[in-house]
Amino acid sequence: MLVVMSDLKPEHQKQKQKQQEQDVDLSVDLAGMVMANPVMTGSGTSGYGPEYAPFLEIASLGAFVTKAVTPGERKGNPPPRTVETAGGMLNAIGLANGGLERFLSDKVPYLSELGIPVIVNVAGRDPDEYAMVCRALDEVPCITGVELNVSCPNVSDGLDYGTDHARLESLVAHVRRDVKRAKVIVKLSPNVTDITATARAAINGGAEILSLINTLAGMAINVNTFRPMLANRTGGLSGPAIKPVAVCMVHKVYSKVAREHGVPIIGMGGIQNWRDAAEFMLAGASAVAVGTALFVDPTIPNQICGGLRTYLAGKGMSRLCELTGMLAN
Amino acid sequence: MMTMATKPGTSHPALFDGVVAKNVSICSEHFRLTIDCPPGVTDALNLARAGQFVHLAPPRGEAEGAAGGNMGTSSCPVPLLRRAFSIAGLRDSLSDGHFSGGGRQFDVMYRVVGTGTRWLSGLRAGDALSVMGALGNGFPISDTKRHAWLVAGGVGLPPMLWLAEALGDAVTIGDTTAAGKVDREVVAFAGARSVDLLALTVDDPSVVSRDAGVASLGAKEFADVGARVVIATDDGSLGFHGHVAGAMGEYYGQADVQTDDLVVYTCGPEVMMRAVAEFCVARSIECHVCMERAMACGTGTCQSCVVAVQDESATDGWRYELCCDDGPVFDAERLVWG
């Protein structure tokens, strides 16, 4: 029988350790957006809130990030929309959503009761569409931030802003002019040669927070039928398969652009547990988002918070925010 | 770890670790997996109905706060995402089941086609697995119609086994206080490409009776719950030679059944369900279709599993609903086939 060493510790030592874990401050402050803990949902992986309520206390999240909202309703792509690949999944949902009006009437009442920061992911076809949605959301008190989805690989117009620096800067500036209260977050695409250049463009346009990475463009083919596995032919790759790419990009953006401008990063891409979350924070993220892993286990955000407490107490650290960018040379 | 809460609508899902009671081969490609569930989820499972599904994954690595989805070993990779299976039956665990203090057990049936089902086929009694469920909405059960036909092809059989049981349990229909109460007649039409792929225990293939001019065989799974069985094989190796939808059509032609006294339930390959659904819609026969789609979350968040349904308020007359959350059972009249 395996004897765990911690079981042999005297009772007072165990109590002390537990107390140290409880004393760890998990709160983070992202450009004035204060979260009780660093774990949020990745856009498009937890609907608009109530879907995971049977399994996860949504109010226990650091922040809730909604699925994308566009000005009008979008049906999205035909099925199949997702396929599992080695260590990950491809999706091509196509921004399916009921549109701004239905979001405001049907989804906001639930979100307004959560009592945690709520971030709404926003997509549009041109700067005016983005600005129109963001203006409306800016007037809803419970909405703490808008996350500009400039990097969805699954709609024909999705990647243009995320890969063209000049257009991205002008789009962000356009939105910033109209948004008076909510934080403006820009979600960066990994489908670029140099993500630090897009990060710089977003910051120059007025981004207050960066989130990265969105999915990597990918494709899978059925060799029996010769057909693509997704009806949309290509999709976005997420899950643990992309985590090293994401950590690398967070590290580059943090060390070359974001740190000097004081712009916090929400890190995401394949996070499944507290170790993954800690990795992103060491690379420079101030908060993290869990996406694909929620499909497997919606309770992961709570598990990550518990794991981070134990980890930080073990390191003799009392504040999680001190972990950001602590990567050793 | 166990999480339970009430979800609006007909689903009351729980997330828990179950333990394999049995994992047995039932024909050349299909397996039946029986999972013991802890007593704490009995209430949630008791609300489940035929047509609902469970979402299965390797057990969570709780101690490290780790999700599964590691790469496994090269010889036996484990799936990243959960896999959805219709519940094929639900009952009390045996007294020597894994969990002390009772609990329920349920069956799923599967055919090994990829990473997820290969992982399932390697499970042995005593192995743990993570269960999310029951999810989705079950088959509506009519309490007025005297004839219920269950049309299943291939791996569409599992929900029909449980449905036949449920229909058998509710066998008396109409006003039970009236003198003229009648029993419901349940006929199962089970199709497979070939007899060796038929996931049923056929009593004796040589004992064939003729029902409505179509060969009818005894199959233990349905006979036990009082349902008659018509078997169809594509290659004619047993029963009706041809597709199961064709067998149902032929049976209908011979049977003395009023369309408004008949309800049809179907599950299986989409081409077969479409044939059954269109047959029924053309004759105004009530028909419920259990759809299958690739799913990621199973709970209405990821929007993967869309099914096109009619919507008069939409400019082009249709919209998408979610197989997991709005289905998987759909009224045949609403479906828009691709």
Side-chain angles (χ1 to χ4, degrees):
Chain A
M1 186 180 164
L2 181 72
V3 176
V4 181
M5 291 309 286
S6 62
D7 289 347
L8 301 176
K9 280 184 187 172
E11 194 57 32
H12 72 274
Q13 275 192 24
K14 275 197 264 183
Q15 292 228 335
K16 190 178 166 197
Q17 186 186 334
K18 204 168 179 183
Q19 191 58 49
Q20 282 173 339
E21 289 177 17
Q22 286 307 312
D23 288 346
V24 168
D25 179 3
L26 289 183
S27 70
V28 292
D29 181 339
L30 276 68
M33 180 173 77
V34 178
M35 296 161 46
N37 69 68
V39 188
M40 44 216 278
T41 53
S43 174
T45 60
S46 47
Y48 297 96
E51 292 88 343
Y52 279 140
F55 310 107
L56 171 72
E57 190 191 342
I58 306 298
S60 69
L61 291 162
F64 182 81
V65 184
T66 71
K67 177 158 179 58
V69 174
T70 55
E73 182 183 355
R74 287 207 194 193
K75 279 185 172 145
N77 294 323
R81 290 177 167 186
T82 50
V83 61
E84 183 168 325
T85 56
M89 68 177 273
L90 285 169
N91 88 79
I93 307 299
L95 299 177
N97 79 104
L100 175 64
E101 286 308 316
R102 272 176 55 193
F103 173 76
L104 293 174
S105 62
D106 298 355
K107 311 296 184 187
V108 164
Y110 176 87
L111 296 169
S112 66
E113 296 293 318
L114 285 178
I116 57 170
V118 171
I119 295 163
V120 180
N121 188 277
V122 175
R125 290 191 172 83
D126 55 46
D128 287 339
E129 283 200 358
Y130 279 95
M132 189 268 275
V133 176
C134 290
R135 266 198 310 274
L137 297 174
D138 197 32
E139 289 171 12
V140 181
C142 74
I143 295 170
T144 320
V146 289
E147 181 182 58
L148 305 187
N149 186 344
V150 294
S151 47
C152 178
N154 302 322
V155 287
S156 56
D157 48 353
L159 265 180
D160 303 344
Y161 291 105
T163 54
D164 181 325
H165 308 152
R167 289 185 70 192
L168 177 62
E169 184 176 331
S170 125
L171 169 73
V172 178
H174 191 75
V175 168
R176 265 311 291 275
R177 273 197 296 277
D178 285 356
V179 174
K180 310 295 181 205
R181 181 190 56 81
K183 298 290 171 201
V184 174
I185 304 162
V186 177
K187 188 163 184 176
L188 300 181
S189 171
N191 302 305
V192 292
T193 309
D194 179 8
I195 196 167
T196 63
T198 31
R200 193 167 281 116
I203 291 171
N204 288 344
E208 293 162 283
I209 302 169
L210 299 176
S211 59
L212 59 148
I213 60 175
N214 206 323
T215 55
L216 284 151
M219 186 173 187
I221 298 169
N222 182 326
V223 296
N224 290 321
T225 62
F226 296 14
R227 290 173 182 276
M229 301 285 265
L230 297 174
N232 190 54
R233 302 178 81 88
T234 61
L237 181 66
S238 63
I242 72 166
K243 196 191 75 177
V245 177
V247 171
C248 176
M249 288 188 166
V250 166
H251 166 62
K252 280 186 179 169
V253 169
Y254 176 75
S255 57
K256 293 187 177 167
V257 190
R259 179 172 46 191
E260 68 190 69
H261 286 90
V263 173
I265 293 171
I266 303 164
M268 66 194 79
I271 293 177
Q272 299 198 91
N273 54 45
W274 69 263
R275 286 177 194 280
D276 297 340
E279 232 183 299
F280 272 88
M281 295 196 72
L282 288 165
S286 296
V288 294
V290 181
T292 301
L294 289 173
F295 297 152
V296 188
D297 185 351
T299 69
I300 282 175
N302 294 158
Q303 295 175 39
I304 288 177
C305 289
L308 286 174
R309 282 188 187 283
T310 310
Y311 167 66
L312 290 167
K315 292 281 178 199
M317 295 171 72
S318 58
R319 298 178 68 214
L320 172 75
C321 60
E322 292 168 0
L323 201 62
T324 297
M326 285 275 281
L327 179 71
N329 284 321
Chain B
M1 174 203 55
M2 196 187 302
T3 311
M4 281 185 59
T6 302
K7 190 184 178 197
T10 53
S11 295
H12 299 80
L15 177 62
F16 59 94
D17 280 355
V19 172
V20 175
K22 277 188 297 189
N23 195 9
V24 296
S25 167
I26 44 178
C27 68
S28 69
E29 291 187 6
H30 295 90
F31 293 78
R32 183 188 296 107
L33 176 66
T34 303
I35 296 166
D36 278 330
C37 307
V41 299
T42 296
D43 288 347
L45 289 176
N46 284 345
L47 293 166
R49 291 187 297 157
Q52 287 193 280
F53 64 94
V54 286
H55 225 187
L56 306 180
R60 315 288 83 213
E62 234 175 66
E64 288 287 305
N70 61 56
M71 300 290 287
T73 63
S74 56
S75 61
C76 185
V78 298
L80 170 70
L81 299 171
R82 290 179 178 272
R83 296 293 192 268
F85 297 92
S86 294
I87 302 171
L90 176 71
R91 67 192 78 80
D92 285 337
S93 289
L94 301 175
S95 55
D96 60 350
H98 178 81
F99 296 100
S100 57
R104 302 279 272 170
Q105 65 173 209
F106 67 86
D107 300 327
V108 298
M109 287 161 64
Y110 61 93
R111 178 173 157 242
V112 178
V113 293
T115 307
T117 45
R118 204 168 297 121
W119 157 68
L120 280 186
S121 71
L123 293 176
R124 301 286 172 263
D127 288 346
L129 75 174
S130 173
V131 181
M132 184 188 276
L135 300 170
N137 304 286
F139 289 108
I141 291 182
S142 164
D143 59 0
T144 57
K145 299 196 170 168
R146 290 184 299 165
H147 299 273
W149 292 1
L150 283 50
V151 190
V155 287
L157 194 60
M160 295 308 177
L161 292 172
W162 197 23
L163 178 61
E165 202 178 320
L167 289 167
D169 287 345
V171 75
T172 304
I173 61 170
D175 182 356
T176 53
T177 62
K181 66 179 183 181
V182 286
D183 284 346
R184 177 190 281 119
E185 184 205 46
V186 179
V187 183
F189 299 84
R193 289 202 309 278
S194 169
V195 62
D196 63 318
L197 297 172
L198 187 69
L200 282 175
T201 317
V202 178
D203 299 340
D204 181 353
S206 64
V207 182
V208 177
S209 61
R210 306 293 295 182
D211 280 313
V214 178
S216 173
L217 293 152
K220 186 178 182 331
E221 292 83 351
F222 286 113
D224 284 354
V225 294
R228 168 180 313 174
V229 184
V230 173
I231 285 165
T233 50
D234 294 358
D235 63 0
S237 50
L238 186 66
F240 180 84
H241 188 166
H243 287 101
V244 69
M248 186 202 75
E250 189 151 317
Y251 191 96
Y252 178 82
Q254 309 279 338
D256 181 21
V257 178
Q258 299 297 313
T259 54
D260 59 358
D261 204 17
L262 171 64
V263 55
V264 173
Y265 303 94
T266 186
C267 185
E270 193 147 320
V271 62
M272 168 240 143
M273 291 193 292
R274 180 177 183 169
V276 172
E278 288 178 343
F279 182 94
C280 293
V281 170
R283 289 162 182 78
S284 298
I285 297 167
E286 180 182 342
C287 177
H288 302 283
V289 182
C290 188
M291 298 293 284
E292 183 175 10
R293 285 285 183 273
M295 290 179 187
C297 72
T299 58
T301 71
C302 74
Q303 311 274 315
S304 298
C305 58
V306 286
V307 172
V309 297
Q310 293 176 22
D311 179 2
E312 285 175 8
S313 69
T315 49
D316 45 4
W318 69 277
R319 67 188 159 93
Y320 280 130
E321 287 193 351
L322 297 177
C323 189
C324 68
D325 210 38
D326 301 309
V329 176
F330 291 88
D331 185 333
E333 286 198 330
R334 299 181 61 228
L335 290 168
V336 178
W337 300 96

